[in-house]
């Protein structure tokens, strides 16, 4: 149709982008038809009305009371289901390496960019694309609620204390401030690394706004000597590994940065594996490095316990 129209009334030179010809015009017309469809116009008008109502009602007493009641109801619902919000996308691992019994767990840090990539892949979130989007947003809001974050930190400490009844040491990864504070309120020996550093010249909006994961690691035991962190740099990200000296062994809790770009899932990932090995080899003695390697540790002579996640 466009070719016939062009033969009757040619499109002026320069109006279409080079090498696109009539396909570019076809996409433009299709986009305009969709943009001005009754449904789209109704959505735009509805949003405008809602924005106007929000702006005019925010300062009224009935509106503020309704907002408070809604938040109170949300908080009550979250507190009723706290136990269902304490999960992690990783299972704990346990192993005996030489004379040291170790337990480790990636606890899923409670930060927006920590849980947001995980929730959409949950199998029980079903329905249309819009329904799944709403379900993800609601679950994310619940998991990041202050009461849920606090309960998660307490649950991690309880698990750690229980694990130390039968293990010499516990290694944790994806540790954030709430868990750090909870661990430091115990009488345990705790080595906690510094937060991850992002050295990109153009950091993401999440990083700028403070919503990025700290990505700390921790080594927890009933005795031992706390040592300085071990930095590992992959791309523009520097991750720090907590270190503890126990039974003449350097015990390191690792959370290796993923390779920038490409397939980042295990075991095909591993951009940080060799950088981590190089950093650990600088330690003057026996090293036991446990945690989330984000890659196949067998490639660097390690032992894989459990299924990669």
């Amino acid at each position: 149709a466009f070719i016939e129209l062009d033969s009757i009334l040619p499109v002026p030179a320069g109006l279409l982008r080079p090498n696109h010809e009539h396909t570019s015009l076809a996409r433009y017309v299709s986009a305009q038809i969709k943009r001005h469809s009754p449904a789209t116009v109704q959505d735009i008008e509805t949003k405008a009305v809602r924005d106007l109502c929000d702006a005019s009602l925010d300062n009224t007493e009935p509106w503020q009371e309704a907002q408070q009641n809604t938040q109170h109801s949300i908080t009550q619902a979250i507190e009723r289901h706290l136990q269902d919000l304490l999960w992690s996308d990783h299972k704990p691992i346990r192993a005996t390496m030489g004379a040291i019994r170790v337990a480790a767990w990636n606890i899923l840090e409670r930060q927006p960019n920590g849980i947001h990539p995980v929730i959409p892949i949950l199998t029980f979130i079903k329905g249309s694309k819009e329904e799944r989007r709403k379900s993800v947003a609601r679950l994310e809001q619940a998991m990041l609620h202050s009461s849920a974050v606090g309960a998660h930190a307490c649950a991690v400490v309880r698990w750690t204390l229980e694990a130390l009844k039968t293990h010499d040491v516990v290694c944790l990864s994806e540790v954030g401030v709430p868990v750090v504070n909870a661990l430091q309120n115990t009488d345990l020996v705790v080595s906690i690394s510094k937060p991850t550093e992002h050295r990109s010249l153009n950091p993401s909006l999440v990083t700028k706004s403070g919503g990025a994961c700290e990505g700390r690691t921790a080594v927890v035991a009933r005795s031992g000597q706390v040592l300085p962190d071990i930095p590992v740099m992959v791309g523009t990200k520097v991750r720090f590994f907590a270190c503890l000296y126990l039974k003449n062994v350097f015990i390191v809790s690792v959370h290796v940065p993923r390779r920038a770009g490409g397939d980042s899932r295990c075991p095909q990932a591993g951009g940080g594996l060799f950088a981590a090995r190089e950093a650990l080899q600088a330690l003057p003695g026996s090293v036991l490095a446990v945690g989330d390697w984000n890659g196949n540790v067998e490639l660097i002579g390690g032992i894989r316990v459990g299924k990669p996640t």
Side-chain angles (χ1 to χ4, degrees), residues 101-206:
R101 299 163 299 172
V102 60
W105 191 18
N106 180 321
I107 61 176
L108 184 59
E109 186 173 348
R110 266 45 181 179
Q111 280 283 21
N113 77 334
I115 66 174
H116 186 72
V118 174
I119 296 178
I121 65 176
L122 298 176
T123 56
F124 60 79
I125 295 183
K126 300 179 180 179
S128 66
K129 182 177 180 180
E130 181 64 18
E131 289 171 338
R132 293 197 303 272
R133 185 186 67 80
K134 290 180 179 179
S135 297
V136 167
R138 288 167 181 159
L139 183 53
E140 185 174 332
Q141 178 188 18
M143 292 181 65
L144 294 177
H145 192 274
S146 58
S147 59
V149 172
H152 172 256
C154 292
V156 171
V157 172
R158 286 197 302 271
W159 179 87
T160 300
L161 290 170
E162 188 65 26
L164 287 175
K165 292 180 180 179
T166 53
H167 295 74
D168 300 298
V169 65
V170 168
C171 294
L172 302 173
S173 54
E174 285 198 27
V175 178
V177 170
V179 175
V180 170
N181 293 338
L183 288 171
Q184 289 177 336
N185 286 331
T186 67
D187 58 357
L188 301 172
V189 177
V190 184
S191 174
I192 299 176
S193 69
K194 293 182 292 187
T196 299
E197 291 183 2
H198 300 271
R199 298 182 179 178
S200 171
L201 297 178
N202 297 298
S204 66
L205 292 177
V206 174

Side-chain angles (χ1 to χ4, degrees), residues 42-269:
Q42 184 179 7
D43 288 343
I44 294 173
E45 292 175 345
T46 300
K47 184 178 183 304
V49 171
R50 286 175 175 169
D51 291 343
L52 179 62
C53 290
D54 289 346
S56 60
L57 291 175
D58 276 350
N59 296 324
T60 63
E61 187 173 333
W63 174 261
Q64 292 177 353
E65 184 178 351
Q67 285 287 81
Q68 291 174 357
N69 291 338
T70 299
Q71 291 303 317
H72 182 65
S73 298
I74 291 174
T75 300
Q76 287 183 321
I78 290 173
E79 290 178 348
R80 285 197 302 271
H81 298 279
L82 274 181
Q83 295 305 310
D84 299 321
L85 300 173
L86 308 183
W87 53 273
S88 170
D89 57 332
H90 291 68
K91 293 182 179 180
I93 61 172
R94 302 170 188 269
T96 299
M97 308 298 293
I100 298 179
R101 299 163 299 172
V102 60
W105 191 18
N106 180 321
I107 61 176
L108 184 59
E109 186 173 348
R110 266 45 181 179
Q111 280 283 21
N113 77 334
I115 66 174
H116 186 72
V118 174
I119 296 178
I121 65 176
L122 298 176
T123 56
F124 60 79
I125 295 183
K126 300 179 180 179
S128 66
K129 182 177 180 180
E130 181 64 18
E131 289 171 338
R132 293 197 303 272
R133 185 186 67 80
K134 290 180 179 179
S135 297
V136 167
R138 288 167 181 159
L139 183 53
E140 185 174 332
Q141 178 188 18
M143 292 181 65
L144 294 177
H145 192 274
S146 58
S147 59
V149 172
H152 172 256
C154 292
V156 171
V157 172
R158 286 197 302 271
W159 179 87
T160 300
L161 290 170
E162 188 65 26
L164 287 175
K165 292 180 180 179
T166 53
H167 295 74
D168 300 298
V169 65
V170 168
C171 294
L172 302 173
S173 54
E174 285 198 27
V175 178
V177 170
V179 175
V180 170
N181 293 338
L183 288 171
Q184 289 177 336
N185 286 331
T186 67
D187 58 357
L188 301 172
V189 177
V190 184
S191 174
I192 299 176
S193 69
K194 293 182 292 187
T196 299
E197 291 183 2
H198 300 271
R199 298 182 179 178
S200 171
L201 297 178
N202 297 298
S204 66
L205 292 177
V206 174
T207 301
K208 290 180 180 178
S209 64
C213 288
E214 293 190 357
R216 303 189 193 202
T217 69
V219 184
V220 188
R222 297 196 178 278
S223 62
Q225 178 186 356
V226 175
L227 299 177
D229 300 343
I230 300 171
V232 174
M233 185 169 184
V234 177
T236 59
K237 180 184 291 185
V238 182
R239 184 71 53 75
F240 296 91
F241 298 163
C243 186
L244 186 78
Y245 193 67
L246 177 68
K247 295 184 177 182
N248 298 319
V249 176
F250 294 93
I251 301 174
V252 183
S253 179
V254 304
H255 186 194
V256 179
R258 289 176 176 169
R259 178 179 54 203
D263 185 2
S264 62
R265 302 303 297 172
C266 300
Q268 291 80 12

